[in-house]
Amino acid sequence: MSSSKHSSELRRLALSVLQPGFVGTEAPDWLLRDIGDGLASVVLFSRNIVSVEQVARLTARLRAENPDLIVAIDEEAGDVTRIESATGSSRPGNFALGTVDDAELTEAVAADLGRQLRTAGVSLDYAPSADVNSNPDNPVIGVRSFGSDPEVVSRHTAAWIRGLQSSGVAACAKHFPGHGDVAVDSHHDLPAYPAGLDEIAAQALPPFRAAVAAGVRAVMSGHLLVPAYDPDLPATLSRRILHGLLREELGFDGLVVSDAIEMGAVTRRYGIDGATVKAVAAGVDAVCVGGESAEEATVAQLVEALTAAVTGGELSRERLAEAAGRVREFARWSAGLRAAGAAGDAAGDGIGQVAARRAVRLTGAARAALPLTAAPHVVELAPVTNMAIGRETPWGVARPLRERLPGTTSVRVRGQELEEGTVALERCALEPAVGRPLVIVARDAARHTWMSRAVTGLTAARPDAIVVEMGLPGTTTVAAAQIFTHGASAASGVAAAEVLTAASAL
């Protein structure tokens, strides 16, 4: 074989194991060229999406270069949405579904989402999160998890996979071996899960076992250190975890996808190219990249890193070929799944809104204070969210409440503003609410000291205020009337507004 042909085939192998993102709502020329040269996957983010119809045209153009192209998306519904990033998700997220704890409902919501994604041309969804959120201070999972009970998370992980795949879209259980018991956001640094083998087996692994049993064909690795299995390398870069635990112990023989390889948890130590090579060597078959690094140059850099690693002996050609083979196998299977699925743009006041309503919980004081009969003033306390949640994605209760009670006013307050003194709750929250109802909207108040303090101060000044918590309920000691939505999706905001204006809705 000539050296040029050898080089060309090696480049094709390297391209095939990447799942890059890109910028724009139309396919850039470099991406089409790379697909023609062997790129087997792309991943969509909110920057690529205007409407389902536009995405369908985009994915059709991409598949004109390769009919079996894997088109992935990071769409969890709830707080983490891409397909509805401009409007907020019309479906609640995992924590709301786990709170209802009706597996048939979870399956129906996932099937509803799957029909919408299939219509858009998506074939792989980086969901569900199979993480057991056993650490309430977890800064990156929270309401993305079905809950803190491994049995509940396992039951709903399996239901979500069945529902999504019944509509023709492949599911991807994440973040293996479980990202729920950490206190560091892996977008920025490397979290550790210091539990022993028995605790991991009982707490973190059951949902992944359930996912495999439910027929999941893709699993996403997590960027976290699990010293019980590997004291040196994060899961994405650890053969002991990806091969020894996932493949040998759990019996998973499908596609292993990395979490976004540009995340700080792996790049701070190894760089994006070093992390990519180590991930594939450890057992990753498809490297997700492009949430942040979405340029042609990034793909070229990673292709060069992989080919150089093979040439230099750091990565065996056999391992790269094995990964490429798993990508081809998954692409064929997912194309068949897509062909057999049921399409349909399911957004609207459907099963997602039904689920969001069923997830709302009220304290007795809230029931006694409702319904509101006058237009309230709404104070929304806005935390800095993690990078998985789109900054552009709307959330809250003020907008849907204004539609039901014209004259509703609102203000959104951030912790930094209170700390800097540029905003005072007396002026923006209490004074506008004189003589009218006050609604306080929080999002994980128990995790944010400034927010918990603000809620406590506002309810002390206004004991008749109603607090709507759109994150984890936590252990706040507020005695005020409280409503819990278990997520901040648009559907959950609407459900809260419905309860506020019509107490008989529950």
Side-chain angles (χ1 to χ4, degrees), residues 130 154 173 175-178 197 200-202 204-216 219-220 229 240-254 256:
S154 298
H175 306 79
F176 188 80
L197 293 177
I200 293 170
L205 295 183
F208 291 98
R209 294 186 185 277
V212 173
V216 79
V219 168
M220 177 176 281
Y229 284 96
R240 296 180 196 175
I241 291 174
L242 298 185
H243 185 78
L245 178 57
L246 180 57
R247 294 224 184 271
E248 293 185 345
E249 185 175 329
L250 269 63
F252 178 69
D253 62 357
V256 176

Side-chain angles (χ1 to χ4, degrees), residues 295-373:
E295 303 80 20
E296 177 183 8
T298 299
V299 175
Q301 177 186 358
L302 298 189
V303 167
E304 171 60 27
L306 289 166
T307 55
V310 172
T311 304
E314 185 181 355
L315 172 65
S316 73
R317 187 184 179 95
E318 291 74 21
R319 167 79 271 269
L320 184 60
E322 177 189 44
R326 280 214 175 88
V327 171
R328 286 195 302 273
E329 181 183 357
F330 181 87
R332 287 192 294 269
W333 172 78
S334 62
L337 186 72
R338 191 172 75 252
D345 186 356
D349 191 13
I351 191 68
Q353 198 59 58
V354 170
R357 291 181 186 120
R358 289 183 60 186
V360 176
R361 301 289 184 269
L362 283 72
T363 62
R367 290 183 184 277
L370 298 175
L372 298 178
T373 56

